[in-house]
Amino acid sequence: MFIQTEATPNPATLKFLPGRTVLGNGTFEARDAGEAVRSPLAARLFEIPGVTGVFFGSDFVTVTKGAGEWPHLKPAILGVIMEHFVSGHAVLGEEHEEAVDDAFFEAKDAGLVDTIRELIDTRVRPAVANDGGDITFRGYKDGVVFLAMKGSCSGCPSSTATLKNGIENLLRHFVPDVTEVRPV
């Protein structure tokens, strides 16, 4: 098994591509060992000293480090990922549930929100997934779109620029009612 790695815009996060499906549907993020217990793979990755975050996308795993340097952490991470996929174990435990859509917006804005979600799902999320992360719609109120950033996007030094210069401009172009985009 050959696992490719890619740098992300976040220097504390590295993207691992195992060449197979990681999650067939949705995403999973663990920001600490407590959240990682829902995934055998995430739990094993958190056993590596210096790992502070794990994110699973459709065909990639991103790992965020706190202390330590990538040349020291990368071999251990590659070993855990390879062992896991070779063993054939599930990436997530059976109790894993997709997040409930608890987005907030007023009923009168439903059509507008549908357009915003479609733009995010078709234009923004695929680009962000290429960088090892995910962005999801969390709400809309008085012209402000609220987005949750996950994976390599969470804590990325360029995330503010991505939100303001990229996503905000895109949404304002297609949905003139949008005045601002904020992270939650």
Side-chain angles (χ1 to χ4, degrees), residues 13-88:
T13 303
L14 197 58
K15 183 177 177 182
F16 296 83
L17 298 143
R20 57 184 65 187
T21 300
V22 175
L23 284 184
N25 188 21
T27 61
F28 172 80
E29 182 174 42
R31 295 183 186 178
D32 59 41
E35 292 177 356
V37 298
R38 298 177 10 210
S39 163
L41 176 55
R44 292 268 328 273
L45 289 167
F46 269 98
E47 292 174 1
I48 300 169
V51 171
T52 61
V54 174
F55 179 80
F56 301 148
S58 61
D59 64 349
F60 65 89
V61 174
T62 58
V63 176
T64 303
K65 69 177 184 71
E69 297 300 322
W70 286 119
H72 298 105
L73 294 169
K74 189 174 162 183
I77 294 167
L78 286 167
V80 167
I81 293 171
M82 185 176 300
E83 264 182 44
H84 183 83
F85 282 105
V86 168
S87 75

Side-chain angles (χ1 to χ4, degrees), residues 101-121 137-147 171 175 177-178:
D101 184 8
D102 58 354
F104 60 89
F105 57 92
E106 294 182 26
K108 69 179 177 66
D109 295 324
L112 187 84
V113 166
D114 288 344
T115 302
I116 292 168
R117 284 182 185 220
E118 181 180 346
L119 287 166
I120 291 168
D121 288 344
F137 176 83
R138 301 302 301 133
Y140 176 82
K141 183 172 174 74
D142 300 327
V144 180
V145 176
F146 297 89
L147 301 174
L171 292 178
V175 185
D177 290 346
V178 171

Side-chain angles (χ1 to χ4, degrees), residues 9 15 120-134 153 162:
K15 183 177 177 182
I120 291 168
D121 288 344
T122 60
R123 296 186 180 222
V124 177
R125 289 182 81 191
V128 171
N130 283 336
D131 287 336
D134 194 18
C153 294
T162 299

